[in-house]
Amino acid sequence: MFKISAFSRLSKVSLKTLRYYDQIGILKPRKVDHDTGYRYYSADQLLELNRILMYKELGFTLPQVSQLLQEDITLENIQGMFKLKRSEIQQIIDTEQAKLLRIEERMQLIEQEGQLETGQEIRIKAEGAQSFLYQKAYGREEDIPNLIRQMDQSITKEIRGCIQGTQVVLWREIDGKEDEFEFEVGYFLTCELRTTPEPFELRTLSPEPMMATMVFHSDSTFDGAACVHLAKWIEANNYQINENEAGRELYVLLSPEQDAKCIEIQIPIRTR
């Protein structure tokens, strides 16, 4: 048996918290000395306390923890809860990191004062009709990496053998939404699939005779400024954006060992 002070030191849980857990009945001491009032805990109660702390980490309230302890949930179920919580937290981290990246890009765009980076070039190119396997989604620009990641988790072996390595995102504005877009996230196909498995959709993209395009590395500070320069170039060269067609972003993985990618932005245009 350990006095509450020793149990607190072993568990790294404060005396105040242990007394409160005793008060609400989720972790009562194994023995209480009626003469001195001292609380005594056994070593196996460290495991009970650890389970309480695990549930708290998962976001359960203390009344909920009390109920869960009575249900005696298996370790396998607890591991499943932690995996789900880990996935939720990772998604939050990815979203916040994307926001930080966008803030840096906006700051760099201000500092650049519209100056084009060395080596960046805008070109006009044509795209032929292409078979496009995709998933539809709605969100903001910073959601694109997570949308691509979610799609890749659904790619089967058959699909993998029929796609180019280029990840493709088509995006359109949504009426009434200032910062939200309609996305189609997917791949161009190089062969015909026997079926179109859920949750994918398949369609043929019509030919695009004129696309204003620009290519840069994903780690380039040019990312935030690309659309600004494209817009200025389109305007200066007397073109108009073809609003009936979706803009495109193509992501090409440069190395299997790294996350670095080459990004190509494509804006459909027409003469005035």
Side-chain angles (χ1 to χ4, degrees):
M1 290 288 189
F2 303 97
K3 285 185 178 180
I4 189 172
S5 56
F7 192 77
S8 172
R9 191 179 311 120
L10 289 168
S11 64
K12 298 181 174 62
V13 174
S14 70
L15 293 172
K16 181 179 179 180
T17 298
L18 290 173
R19 292 190 183 103
Y20 182 63
Y21 286 174
D22 178 15
Q23 180 183 340
I24 64 176
I26 65 171
L27 184 70
K28 301 190 74 64
R30 191 69 73 207
K31 174 184 175 183
V32 177
D33 190 308
H34 296 292
D35 295 328
T36 63
Y38 289 160
R39 296 173 173 86
Y40 291 89
Y41 294 83
S42 61
D44 63 339
Q45 287 186 285
L46 287 170
L47 299 176
E48 294 179 39
L49 180 57
N50 184 57
R51 182 164 289 208
I52 292 170
L53 298 177
M54 286 193 301
Y55 287 139
K56 287 187 64 181
E57 287 286 342
L58 290 168
F60 291 107
T61 64
L62 288 177
Q64 290 171 331
V65 170
S66 178
Q67 182 64 35
L68 290 168
L69 291 173
Q70 294 176 28
E71 294 177 4
D72 193 25
I73 296 176
T74 66
L75 288 176
E76 289 77 11
N77 287 335
I78 295 175
Q79 288 175 335
M81 293 179 189
F82 266 106
K83 288 177 181 178
L84 180 60
K85 189 68 173 180
R86 180 177 61 188
S87 178
E88 292 173 354
I89 292 173
Q90 186 61 55
Q91 186 169 348
I92 293 172
I93 291 173
D94 291 345
T95 299
E96 295 304 314
Q97 286 180 335
K99 288 181 181 178
L100 285 174
L101 179 59
R102 293 302 173 195
I103 290 172
E104 291 293 333
E105 289 174 350
R106 304 305 179 199
M107 292 173 63
Q108 290 166 358
L109 181 56
I110 293 172
E111 294 169 359
Q112 289 171 4
E113 296 183 350
Q115 297 300 313
L116 191 66
E117 281 190 3
T118 303
Q120 304 299 336
E121 183 179 358
I122 297 172
R123 297 180 179 179
I124 293 180
K125 64 189 294 187
E127 292 286 359
Q130 291 168 303
S131 184
F132 184 49
L133 183 74
Y134 67 97
Q135 287 180 290
K136 187 174 290 186
Y138 299 89
R140 294 170 295 182
E141 185 181 5
E142 57 263 32
D143 297 327
I144 290 176
N146 190 49
L147 293 174
I148 292 175
R149 190 180 304 113
Q150 289 176 354
M151 179 177 181
D152 282 348
Q153 291 173 352
S154 302
I155 295 292
T156 64
K157 185 176 181 181
E158 180 192 5
I159 294 175
R160 187 72 62 188
C162 279
I163 60 176
Q164 296 179 358
T166 303
Q167 297 163 329
V168 183
V169 179
L170 274 61
W171 40 271
R172 294 182 178 85
E173 297 79 7
I174 301 176
D175 290 339
K177 299 285 188 178
E178 294 184 359
D179 61 349
E180 192 169 326
F181 296 88
E182 176 185 298
F183 297 117
E184 291 178 357
V185 184
Y187 290 90
F188 295 138
L189 294 181
T190 58
C191 60
E192 186 175 342
L193 296 175
R194 290 174 295 178
T195 59
T196 304
E198 293 185 355
F200 301 106
E201 297 180 57
L202 180 64
R203 68 185 180 94
T204 300
L205 299 182
S206 58
E208 288 290 348
M210 295 180 65
M211 303 277 274
T213 69
M214 179 174 288
V215 179
F216 52 91
H217 287 169
S218 58
D219 57 355
S220 169
T221 59
F222 191 67
D223 188 6
C227 288
V228 174
H229 291 301
L230 273 169
K232 289 184 175 181
W233 183 91
I234 290 170
E235 185 177 73
N237 288 273
N238 207 33
Y239 291 106
Q240 286 185 324
I241 293 177
N242 189 350
E243 297 180 358
N244 296 324
E245 300 297 333
R248 303 179 184 182
E249 289 186 4
L250 280 62
Y251 299 77
V252 182
L253 189 64
L254 297 178
S255 169
E257 293 78 23
Q258 299 177 348
D259 291 332
K261 295 179 180 179
C262 187
I263 301 175
E264 179 176 347
I265 294 182
Q266 300 181 342
I267 306 293
I269 58 174
R270 55 186 172 84
T271 56
R272 290 183 183 272

